[in-house]
Amino acid sequence: MAFSPRIGVSIGCPAGIGPEVVVCALAARPGVDVTIFGDAGVLERAAVRARVTLPKSASVVSVTHLGEDDVQPGLPSEITGRAQVEYLAAATDAVIGGKVAALVTAPVSREWASRAGMPFPSHMEFLANRVGAKSCATMQIGSGLRITMVTGRVPLRQVPTLLSASSIAQTTVLTAQALSTYFGVRLPRVAVAGLNPLAGEGGRLGDEETHLVLPAVNLAQRLLSTSGLAARVSGPHEPDTIFRQMLVGEFDAVVALYHDQCQIPIKLLASDEAVSLTLGLPFVRTSPDHGTAYDIAGTGRAKFQGFLAALDLASSLAEKSLAVPDTA
């Protein structure tokens, strides 16, 4: 019988769609060995509303014991804001301690975590801080796309000031390593997008491609060569054509320089089934590419396919006993 590693799941904000997408996804994968970090009562009520049953292979660690008066779908509070971070902390302890082989996280609210006195920049930063990871990045996966972001949710005007040849190169290296280690690509082809329209059009529309992106591409290629990983890094490429080039097979992954450069093609093509994979951690961590969706929580309208895809990817990677290597 094939080895099936145990997957850790944090249910996210109990007032969001996390509990319902978790129970629906697990009902669709009754054979997956899962430990859920959350609240048994919250999950039971979510399962009743969704008309599903949690499989016997799923065990629940009740980090909180919230009654119906404490949490209602679509009505976040300081209680739920605190609980969501506590669930993630417990799940993180489990994966660090080897009790689970990988981590799948349902969405949390940064606003309500902050209101509860628990500032939460992002899952990636939370996890990186817990394990002391020196460099991490988020790869979005779906519909034939693999796109890694250099910068995250920041105002567009700040992007040029946050980019550096070093940060672009490090993200590129993490991407190539993930293609090799996680996805078995023998000679990863990583394309780096330009910042400006038409990749600057020879400097007429900006010169960041010349003084920033091109040096980053060269640095990434040197770092990969030094590490012994054979890979092909190219760029800067025109942002309006690079994603189609990946879809037709010219590249294995794209490095996007800012949030929407990555998210627009992902949201367009992968829609509800996109998965976020955190690169640079010593364990597998995935999540669906959506938020808490308080406006539809508890209404039966939430789609669980994104969480299901995140669960499937985490299970697949954990079964191969893969982990992203330290790139220091």
Side-chain angles (χ1 to χ4, degrees):
M1 182 177 295
F3 173 65
S4 178
R6 179 167 287 269
I7 306 300
V9 169
S10 62
I11 69 170
C13 181
I17 65 172
E20 57 194 280
V21 299
V22 168
V23 297
C24 288
L26 293 178
R29 294 289 186 271
V32 177
D33 195 6
V34 173
T35 298
I36 309 171
F37 297 87
D39 187 301
V42 170
L43 288 166
E44 289 169 5
R45 294 189 289 272
V48 169
R49 286 192 298 270
R51 299 180 181 179
V52 299
T53 302
L54 275 177
K56 293 181 180 179
S57 60
S59 61
V60 179
V61 175
S62 283
V63 181
T64 62
H65 300 275
L66 303 177
E68 292 190 59
D69 292 338
D70 299 313
V71 54
Q72 287 288 325
L75 298 175
S77 66
E78 291 184 7
I79 292 175
T80 65
R82 184 177 305 107
Q84 62 183 354
V85 181
E86 291 174 346
Y87 303 154
L88 177 62
T92 304
D93 288 342
V95 74
I96 292 173
K99 295 179 180 178
V100 296
L103 187 59
V104 186
T105 60
V108 302
S109 166
R110 291 185 294 174
E111 175 188 353
W112 283 100
S114 179
R115 290 193 186 192
M118 306 178 78
F120 186 86
S122 71
H123 273 99
M124 182 180 74
E125 291 170 273
F126 178 92
L127 295 169
N129 288 335
R130 286 295 301 274
V131 301
K134 296 179 180 179
S135 181
C136 289
T138 297
M139 176 183 280
Q140 302 285 19
I141 303 167
S143 297
L145 296 173
R146 296 188 189 109
I147 311 172
T148 311
M149 291 182 286
V150 180
T151 60
R153 297 171 180 171
V154 297
L156 189 58
R157 67 178 179 274
Q158 293 181 11
V159 170
T161 65
L162 295 174
L163 290 171
S164 67
S166 176
S167 65
I168 298 170
Q170 187 60 54
T171 302
T172 304
V173 168
L174 286 172
T175 301
Q177 290 175 331
L179 290 170
S180 174
T181 306
Y182 282 145
F183 300 105
V185 180
R186 296 185 63 181
L187 182 64
R189 299 165 300 166
V190 183
V192 181
L195 177 65
N196 297 296
L198 304 178
E201 202 177 49
R204 192 178 70 84
L205 300 176
D207 62 357
E208 285 84 0
E209 284 72 22
T210 300
H211 75 255
L212 189 64
V213 183
L214 184 57
V217 168
N218 294 333
L219 175 59
Q221 190 68 71
R222 290 197 301 273
L223 291 172
L224 287 165
S225 297
T226 301
S227 73
L229 176 59
R232 294 176 181 170
V233 180
S234 60
H237 293 273
E238 296 184 6
D240 60 349
T241 58
I242 192 172
F243 302 106
R244 176 170 174 76
Q245 289 174 291
M246 176 167 44
L247 286 175
V248 299
E250 293 184 28
F251 311 123
D252 299 303
V254 165
V255 172
L257 301 188
Y258 56 93
H259 181 272
D260 282 14
Q261 194 178 62
C262 166
Q263 290 292 78
I264 289 172
I266 283 286
K267 297 290 188 185
L268 176 65
L269 296 179
S271 186
D272 302 309
E273 299 181 8
V275 175
S276 296
L277 172 64
T278 303
L279 311 182
L281 297 174
F283 52 81
V284 174
R285 178 260 168 172
T286 65
S287 69
D289 185 32
H290 61 68
T292 53
Y294 292 126
D295 57 326
I296 62 170
T299 67
R301 292 161 51 200
K303 297 180 180 180
F304 66 89
Q305 286 78 8
F307 193 89
L308 183 62
L311 180 65
D312 287 345
L313 180 60
S315 298
S316 173
L317 298 182
E319 285 172 0
K320 297 175 184 177
S321 300
L322 299 177
V324 177
D326 187 353
T327 60

